[in-house]
Amino acid sequence: DAGITQSPRHKVTETGTPVTLRCHQTENHRYMYWYRQDPGHGLRLIHYSYGVKDTDKGEVSDGYSVSRSKTEDFLLTLESATSSQTSVYFCAISVKGGLYNEQFFGPGTRLTVL
Amino acid sequence: ELKVEQNPLFLSMQEGKNYTIYCNYSTTSDRLYWYRQDPGKSLESLFVLLSNGAVKQEGRLMASLDTKARLSTLHITAAVHDLSATYFCAVDSNYGGSQGNLIFGKGTKLSVKP
């Protein structure tokens, strides 16, 4: 699992509440990503980070914010959760392997917004 | 904008049969990845394909890349039940450059029946 943990692993929350998901890596990889996975959509990139305090938007960033104050932690925040944000969230890191970079994924967080 | 299409999206196979999953992408890229996902689990990296004509094999799975046709295939030989999973292809969005973001196909759910 490339030393990636996510917390919590499961969460049920109510519409309008703030939610923060945490991704932690044990190796000092520069790039980290947040994806969401929904049936029929594959994985879609929410935000990514290329270093401490360096983040950028992905394909589906509306309603989400991120922060990276330490290399090992990448936080995803839903400021005011909506039912459309019910999904499985995966964190990933990018590991350099010679001519290419390869992404490895964390175990996922299943979020339900009621 | 890079788009990635997989087909079929669902595949029911009998054990012992051969089949191919196709991954088409819309703009030039030089890095393509295949992942496997078991139900309720994270994504596991299978293959990284870097150049035109690249072919990689692992057990009953063989992946190939044709960058001119913008097509990758994942061929399954003599399927066994253990291969039942969802398979994703992902394409690096930054052709010719360094680290890019991955754009995923919607996945192919493979079910191998006795």
Side-chain angles (χ1 to χ4, degrees):
Chain A
D1 60 4
I4 310 169
T5 57
Q6 293 184 230
S7 59
R9 295 292 314 279
H10 300 270
K11 185 168 182 70
V12 179
T13 191
E14 293 190 350
T15 297
T17 59
V19 176
T20 296
L21 309 183
R22 179 182 182 238
C23 177
H24 178 79
Q25 60 159 324
T26 56
E27 302 163 15
N28 291 324
H29 296 293
R30 183 178 167 203
Y31 281 82
M32 298 183 76
Y33 305 82
W34 277 108
Y35 292 90
R36 61 178 288 173
Q37 183 177 28
D38 304 289
H41 288 279
L43 273 79
R44 293 180 291 175
L45 182 65
I46 305 171
H47 280 278
Y48 66 99
S49 169
Y50 45 96
V52 172
K53 294 193 167 75
D54 291 324
T55 65
D56 207 346
K57 296 179 180 180
E59 178 189 355
V60 290
S61 59
D62 286 349
Y64 301 95
S65 62
V66 290
S67 65
R68 192 164 177 203
S69 58
K70 299 185 288 185
T71 301
E72 59 266 34
D73 288 326
F74 192 30
L75 304 182
L76 177 71
T77 297
L78 292 66
E79 302 289 348
S80 177
T82 67
S83 58
S84 64
Q85 293 175 310
T86 292
S87 187
V88 179
Y89 291 86
F90 286 99
C91 172
I93 60 171
S94 182
V95 178
K96 195 165 177 59
L99 296 175
Y100 62 92
N101 297 295
E102 191 169 356
Q103 289 191 23
F104 294 91
F105 288 80
T109 294
R110 184 172 294 274
L111 176 67
T112 302
V113 184
L114 301 176
Chain B
E1 180 188 352
L2 174 60
K3 293 189 188 301
V4 179
E5 277 192 15
Q6 279 183 245
N7 68 83
L9 297 182
F10 298 93
L11 179 55
S12 182
M13 295 177 65
Q14 280 196 308
E15 279 190 332
K17 299 291 187 183
N18 304 331
Y19 210 83
T20 301
I21 298 170
Y22 297 89
C23 175
N24 290 92
Y25 52 99
S26 61
T27 63
T28 304
S29 178
D30 51 5
R31 283 163 289 208
L32 189 139
Y33 303 78
W34 283 97
Y35 289 88
R36 169 183 171 142
Q37 185 181 37
D38 292 304
K41 303 292 186 183
S42 185
L43 280 78
E44 171 192 352
S45 179
L46 290 175
F47 300 110
V48 181
L49 302 169
L50 299 176
S51 60
N52 190 42
V55 176
K56 293 214 174 158
Q57 183 160 6
E58 179 78 31
R60 301 175 188 273
L61 299 177
M62 184 173 72
S64 66
L65 178 61
D66 181 343
T67 56
K68 291 178 182 163
R70 297 178 190 161
L71 170 68
S72 180
T73 60
L74 181 66
H75 187 73
I76 302 151
T77 302
V80 292
H81 179 71
D82 284 353
L83 290 179
S84 296
T86 299
Y87 294 86
F88 291 94
C89 66
V91 180
D92 190 310
S93 60
N94 190 16
Y95 172 66
S98 59
Q99 178 76 47
N101 293 329
L102 294 186
I103 307 299
F104 280 79
K106 292 183 178 181
T108 297
K109 186 172 182 179
L110 172 65
S111 175
V112 181
K113 301 184 186 307

